[in-house]
Amino acid sequence: MTSLPLWAQTAGLLILSNVFMTFAWYGHLKNLASKPWWIAALVSWGIALFEYLLQVPGNRIGYAGGISLAQLKIMQEVITLTVFVPFALFYMNEPFKLDYLWAALCMLGAVYFIFR
């Protein structure tokens, strides 16, 4: 069985890490709103540990595989927006805004310029 290409391994690890990051950064706004901020911070740090356990190897694999630092950063930003919008809409019950679309179009421009 052939292993996944390095870019796919990188993207997969960064997607998974971003799911943890999004919950660490924003999940407490819904789940721990009535708790003191320091409890939310401790819970968030616990969740963020899993983010780092995926993000660090993802970036290392990508960088060793020839993805530049700038490309890794733009890849992460695109993944962040891709994970954040469904999180905001479906988990946090935020209304859809056209600003998400405009932000995505700006990110497409960033992808073009960094990966060309």
Side-chain angles (χ1 to χ4, degrees):
M1 181 171 165
T2 308
S3 64
L4 289 172
L6 292 178
W7 68 266
Q9 293 175 36
T10 299
L13 287 168
L14 293 179
I15 289 166
L16 291 172
S17 78
N18 205 279
V19 169
F20 282 103
M21 180 197 76
T22 302
F23 275 94
W25 283 18
Y26 305 110
H28 64 87
L29 298 174
K30 179 176 182 178
N31 299 320
L32 300 173
S34 63
K35 302 288 185 195
W37 72 267
W38 58 270
I39 290 176
L42 291 173
V43 170
S44 293
W45 283 345
I47 295 169
L49 171 64
F50 295 101
E51 177 222 342
Y52 277 90
L53 292 174
L54 296 165
Q55 176 266 340
V56 170
N59 280 330
R60 289 175 144 240
I61 290 168
Y63 194 71
I67 300 173
S68 74
L69 185 63
Q71 289 171 333
L72 283 169
K73 182 59 181 169
I74 294 303
M75 181 185 291
Q76 180 63 52
E77 295 304 327
V78 169
I79 290 168
T80 297
L81 187 61
T82 304
V83 169
F84 177 77
V85 171
F87 173 84
L89 296 176
F90 300 115
Y91 188 77
M92 297 296 289
N93 298 314
E94 295 281 322
F96 178 78
K97 297 181 186 179
L98 278 179
D99 292 343
Y100 296 142
L101 176 63
W102 307 138
L105 289 174
C106 289
M107 292 306 300
L108 284 177
V111 168
Y112 170 78
F113 287 111
I114 291 297
F115 283 90
R116 68 181 168 145

